[in-house]
């Protein structure tokens, strides 16, 4: 029987790209072909040269439509010369991963997000007012403390049904804020799975009239921002038992503070203030168990002398292909 393929891609919206998708009916027994779209409607092309190409790079079962239907994540290329479109950050990540393959780098990304009502206020904020201060919401249970759990349950099951590497979920510090984790896998796998998981969250949010926001600081004031803590390790970091490789990775990243922070998502200065479990965006630090450091080394990693480190700086709205590429290049580049 013919089936539906939902082609998903990342657009050219600034300062933070949006996800787009459209449906192609595929004949029985055929695989999803290269397709195209009107780039002039997605900030990816001028009107007189509007064609962009969609190159399928990752597909998985469609957990919403079920049956033989699939989701197809695509890279965007120029229709004319076939080169990666300027908005296509995945292509560069593939290159970096190949170049430094011997280091066997893996990542786990903690995606935080905020659910908004259609009027733009966070779910869990009363109309025209504020909820009680932060405290009872993180990993909370009970009406008035957690919001929209039905959507989170649906999304988690959808990720599992799609075969994505989802690892867990938790309610976050600000009401209406949640997190899921994807990993641990190589840069491209984790970024592909995260992108499809983000699409599923937006899509399921439609059913609940909830808008998914990845904004770094959706509420000004004494409310936590939303990040995408990026946990990483090389083979040496996982195997050396004297912390040497882990410290060398942190030192290498500390030499390229601006390059990383500038590419960790829009409005990072509003989120990385030094308060609310963050380090200031322009001051680099790393430390064991320190949630006020740029990079945290988990306590059990220090105990074992090996494992991984957590770059706490990437925003919820970061591009995972760019974040993981930079960490691969900086950490492996210094170790090569
Ligand atoms: P926390 O909220 O305490 O910072 P989480 O449990 O939310 O931590 O996330 C931990 C993340 O660390 C997961 O995404 C997991 O995949 C990742 N992780 C664990 N071990 C490694 C490793 N060796 N290399 C890279 N990432 C790792
Ligand atoms: Mn977490
Ligand atoms: Mn968190
Ligand atoms: Mn974390």
């Amino acid at each position: 029987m013919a089936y539906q393929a939902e082609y998903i891609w990342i657009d050219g919206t600034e300062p933070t790209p949006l996800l787009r998708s459209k449906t192609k009916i595929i004949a029985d027994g055929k695989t999803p072909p290269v397709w195209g779209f009107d780039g002039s409607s997605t900030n990816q092309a001028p009107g007189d040269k509007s064609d962009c190409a969609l190159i399928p790079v990752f597909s998985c079962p469609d957990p919403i439509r079920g049956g033989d239907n699939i989701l197809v994540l695509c890279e965007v290329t120029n229709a004319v010369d076939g080169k990666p479109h300027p908005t296509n950050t995945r292509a560069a990540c593939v290159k970096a991963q190949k170049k430094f393959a011997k280091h066997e780098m893996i990542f786990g990304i903690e995606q935080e997000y905020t659910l908004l009502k259609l009027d733009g206020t966070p779910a869990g904020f009363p109309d025209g007012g504020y909820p009680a201060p932060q405290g009872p919401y993180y990993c909370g249970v009970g009406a008035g403390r957690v919001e929209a759990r039905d959507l989170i349950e649906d999304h988690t099951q959808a990720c599992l049904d799609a075969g994505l590497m989802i690892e867990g979920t938790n309610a976050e510090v600000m009401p209406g804020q949640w997190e899921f984790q994807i990993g641990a896998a190589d840069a491209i796998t984790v970024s592909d799975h995260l992108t499809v998981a983000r699409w599923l969250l937006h899509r399921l949010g439609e059913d609940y009239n909830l808008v998914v926001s990845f904004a770094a600081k959706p509420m000004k004031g004494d409310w936590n921002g939303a990040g995408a803590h990026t946990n990483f390790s090389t083979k040496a970091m996982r195997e050396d038992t004297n912390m040497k490789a882990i410290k060398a990775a942190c030192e290498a990243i500390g030499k390229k503070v601006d390059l990383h922070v500038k590419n960790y998502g829009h409005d990072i200065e509003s989120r990385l203030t030094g308060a609310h479990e963050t380090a200031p965006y322009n001051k680099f630090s790393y430390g064991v168990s320190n949630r006020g450091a740029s990079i945290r080394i988990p306590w059990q990693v220090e105990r074992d002398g090996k494992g991984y480190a957590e770059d706490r700086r990437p925003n919820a709205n970061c591009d995972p292909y760019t974040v993981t590429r930079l960490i691969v290049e900086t950490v492996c580049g210094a170790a090569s």
Side-chain angles (χ1 to χ4, degrees), residues 39-60:
S40 73
S41 299
T42 62
N43 202 30
Q44 284 168 303
D48 58 344
K49 292 191 200 76
S50 65
D51 284 335
C52 293
L54 291 173
I55 314 294
V57 289
F58 167 72
S59 63
C60 62

Side-chain angles (χ1 to χ4, degrees), residues 110 229 291 296 310 312:
E110 305 167 49
H229 297 167
R291 284 170 202 270
R296 176 179 67 100
E310 173 192 47
R312 299 176 57 79

Side-chain angles (χ1 to χ4, degrees), residues 107-113 138-139 152 155-156 159-160 164-172 178-185 190 193-194 197 227-231 308 310:
F107 295 88
I109 300 182
E110 305 167 49
Q111 175 70 67
E112 295 179 342
Y113 58 95
Y138 169 76
C139 296
I152 279 68
H155 176 252
T156 307
C159 289
L160 290 172
L164 304 180
M165 296 176 78
I166 189 164
E167 305 175 273
T169 67
N170 59 269
E172 269 300 338
W178 287 84
E179 169 180 317
F180 64 89
Q181 306 96 30
I182 297 273
V190 88
H193 286 212
L194 180 62
H229 297 167
T230 300
N231 302 270
Y308 66 100
E310 173 192 47

Side-chain angles (χ1 to χ4, degrees), residues 119-203:
D119 67 5
T121 57
F125 278 51
D127 288 337
Y130 290 91
Q134 293 183 162
Y137 311 118
Y138 169 76
C139 296
V141 61
R145 286 185 286 272
V146 290
E147 282 293 320
R149 196 187 290 277
D150 286 354
L151 167 57
I152 279 68
E153 295 285 331
D154 270 8
H155 176 252
T156 307
Q157 192 59 49
C159 289
L160 290 172
D161 293 345
L164 304 180
M165 296 176 78
I166 189 164
E167 305 175 273
T169 67
N170 59 269
E172 269 300 338
V173 176
M174 185 179 101
Q177 229 164 40
W178 287 84
E179 169 180 317
F180 64 89
Q181 306 96 30
I182 297 273
D186 63 81
I188 287 294
T189 303
V190 88
S191 301
D192 286 350
H193 286 212
L194 180 62
T195 304
V196 174
R198 283 176 173 180
W199 183 88
L200 281 169
L201 190 56
H202 284 300
R203 166 64 191 81

Side-chain angles (χ1 to χ4, degrees), residues 63-78:
I64 297 173
R65 292 183 173 134
D68 291 334
N69 304 304
I70 58 173
L71 305 177
V72 180
L73 180 67
C74 298
E75 272 191 31
V76 176
T77 62
N78 303 321

Side-chain angles (χ1 to χ4, degrees), residues 226-305:
H229 297 167
T230 300
N231 302 270
F232 62 92
S233 63
T234 59
K235 188 167 190 283
M237 289 168 69
R238 293 188 296 274
E239 291 181 359
D240 284 3
T241 48
N242 56 5
M243 293 291 285
K244 223 174 108 193
I246 290 179
K247 283 190 177 143
C250 295
E251 296 286 340
I253 292 175
K255 291 202 179 90
K256 299 199 170 167
V257 178
D258 287 350
L259 174 68
H260 282 250
V261 161
K262 192 167 96 232
N263 288 289
Y264 277 5
H266 171 66
D267 201 27
I268 199 161
E269 304 84 355
S270 300
R271 175 175 152 259
L272 299 186
T273 57
H276 304 111
E277 300 173 54
T278 69
Y281 69 93
N282 53 2
K283 238 186 93 202
F284 180 82
S285 58
Y286 67 93
V288 176
S289 288
N290 188 355
R291 284 170 202 270
S294 314
I295 296 186
R296 176 179 67 100
I297 298 168
W299 69 270
Q300 77 277 11
V301 172
E302 188 187 48
R303 180 196 63 198
D304 301 342

